């Protein structure tokens, strides 16, 4: 990792520096940089056919004016401090569900790699369905959507927001629930190194899962902070309270109700919180 002193004034994202750290075959090789975007998800949808975006293309914005989170929430997206990006993939239909666990796991591995050394390594926690936490607060979120290209190919849009050098305390709406790497470490992290590391880990894990390996799923499941805890799942007018006991192979969370009956909950628009 570069000397943190060099990052006291935060520079614009450097594509050459990002490319220098990239070791993938296809993820991030086509790179589209947007100083401004409403949402990289919407930009990606508009560009798929117009710019013939192929498997692995990555669209990054310095800021978003209408960043979207799961369950209709917004994603706080001020300029120059964080990562807001969407990876465009053309997966086989049965590879889509691996994205829900491969993506947060790749982000966690990348954070560990980039913060390693100088005694500063962070070990993020993972929360179902696809959040990345540090000390119980959200450092990264993942939004996965599918669409189809003009030629009918299935396209998956993997949207990722990472709080990198944000001063979370300055944003009242997220102060209590969000954290940045800089908040946790006390110094800034070069966003280019982190994004390249996310792409590198993502491609490796995605290929492993597509090749039938269970290791990425098992590592994600084993790291979930929810399992064994009392949870409340709510969404679409329903509310389920019980103990999160496992995750099915399709990614659904299995909750045991007080009477012992087990129900499975699909990610969809569900919000999961700890029961009090
Ligand atoms: C969540 O609610 O946890 C998901 C947050 C996803 C935010 C990212 S930022 C880049 C991409 N563009 C968006 O509008 N949302 C995703």
């Amino acid at each position: 990792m570069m000397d943190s002193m060099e990052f006291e004034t935060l520079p614009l994202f450097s594509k050459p520096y990002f490319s220098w750290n990239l070791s993938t075959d296809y993820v991030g090789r086509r790179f589209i940089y947007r100083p401004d975007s409403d949402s990289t998800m919407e930009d990606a949808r508009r560009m798929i056919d117009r710019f013939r975006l192929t498997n692995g293309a990555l669209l990054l914005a310095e800021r978003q004016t209408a960043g979207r989170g799961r369950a209709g929430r917004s994603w706080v997206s001020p300029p120059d401090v964080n990562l807001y990006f969407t990876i465009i993939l053309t997966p086989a239909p049965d590879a889509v569900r691996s994205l829900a666990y491969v993506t947060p796991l790749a982000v966690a591995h990348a954070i560990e790699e980039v913060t390693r050394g100088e005694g500063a390594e962070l070990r993020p926690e993972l929360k179902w369905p696809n959040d990345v936490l540090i000390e119980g607060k959200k450092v990264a979120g993942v939004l996965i959507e599918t669409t189809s290209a003009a030629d009918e190919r299935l396209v998956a849009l993997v949207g990722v927001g990472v709080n990198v050098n944000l001063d979370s305390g300055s944003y009242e709406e997220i102060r209590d629930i969000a954290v940045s790497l800089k908040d946790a470490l006390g110094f800034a992290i070069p966003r280019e190194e982190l994004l390249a590391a996310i792409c590198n880990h993502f491609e490796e894990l995605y290929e492993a899962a597509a090749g039938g390996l269970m290791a990425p799923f098992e590592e994600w499941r084993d790291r979930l902070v929810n399992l064994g805890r009392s949870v409340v799942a709510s969404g679409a007018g329903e509310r389920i309270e019980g103990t999160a006991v496992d995750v099915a192979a399709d990614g659904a969370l299995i909750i045991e109700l007080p009477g012992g009956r087990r129900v499975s909950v699909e990610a969809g628009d569900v919000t999961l919180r700890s029961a009090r």
Side-chain angles (χ1 to χ4, degrees):
M1 196 180 77
M2 288 186 70
D3 185 343
S4 57
M5 293 305 287
E6 293 172 46
F7 286 88
E8 283 193 331
T9 56
L10 295 168
L12 287 178
F13 191 90
S14 158
K15 187 188 167 197
Y17 184 26
F18 161 69
S19 300
W20 177 255
N21 285 280
L22 195 65
S23 60
T24 58
D25 284 335
Y26 58 92
V27 173
R29 291 285 161 196
R30 175 94 188 264
F31 180 88
I32 298 159
Y33 173 86
R34 305 274 284 156
D36 268 301
S37 172
D38 49 354
S39 154
T40 58
M41 303 304 272
E42 304 312 319
D43 258 343
R45 280 175 192 273
R46 288 188 287 262
M47 289 183 190
I48 290 165
D49 293 315
R50 197 162 148 230
F51 289 2
R52 294 203 184 85
L53 297 184
T54 50
N55 198 33
L58 188 152
L59 198 153
L60 174 97
E62 281 289 7
R63 72 167 184 145
Q64 299 182 116
T65 51
R68 294 198 280 111
R70 288 180 59 253
R73 289 186 287 260
S74 58
W75 188 257
V76 172
S77 309
D80 308 334
V81 285
N82 287 338
L83 288 172
Y84 319 112
F85 62 96
T86 296
I87 302 172
I88 292 100
L89 294 169
T90 52
D94 61 1
V96 173
R97 73 172 186 222
S98 72
L99 296 170
Y101 58 86
V102 155
T103 313
L105 191 56
V107 172
H109 282 186
I111 289 173
E112 283 156 10
E113 182 186 313
V114 170
T115 62
R116 192 168 294 142
E118 302 168 48
E121 180 175 352
L122 295 173
R123 170 97 178 152
E125 299 153 343
L126 300 175
K127 180 186 165 200
W128 186 92
N130 34 39
D131 293 343
V132 185
L133 312 179
I134 290 176
E135 291 161 12
K137 292 182 172 181
K138 194 146 151 175
V139 70
V142 173
L143 183 65
I144 293 162
E145 298 176 348
T146 55
T147 183
S148 49
D151 63 5
E152 308 282 299
R153 270 173 317 152
L154 171 68
V155 176
L157 303 171
V158 181
V160 182
V162 188
N163 297 325
V164 187
N165 296 320
L166 182 79
D167 178 7
S168 305
S170 307
Y171 295 85
E172 204 183 329
E173 63 274 44
I174 56 168
R175 182 180 293 160
D176 297 333
I177 52 168
V179 67
S180 73
L181 298 180
K182 187 178 174 205
D183 293 330
L185 292 166
F187 56 84
I189 289 288
R191 291 178 297 155
E192 298 84 348
E193 281 186 25
L194 182 63
L195 181 60
I198 293 172
C199 293
N200 297 342
H201 286 284
F202 176 87
E203 185 175 293
E204 190 185 330
L205 292 164
Y206 177 59
E207 286 296 317
L213 295 183
M214 291 303 288
F217 174 79
E218 286 166 358
E219 186 187 343
W220 169 74
R221 185 191 56 199
D222 292 349
R223 285 179 69 163
L224 286 176
V225 290
N226 322 85
L227 298 187
R229 296 218 183 141
S230 296
V231 294
V232 180
S234 49
E238 276 204 81
R239 187 178 186 281
I240 296 171
E241 189 161 349
T243 306
V245 287
D246 204 355
V247 183
D250 66 359
L253 183 70
I254 300 171
I255 298 180
E256 190 170 287
L257 305 180
R261 191 165 71 86
R262 290 184 169 199
V263 292
S264 69
V265 178
E266 308 265 337
D269 282 343
V270 167
T271 299
L272 192 73
R273 58 180 178 78
S274 299
R276 302 205 179 270

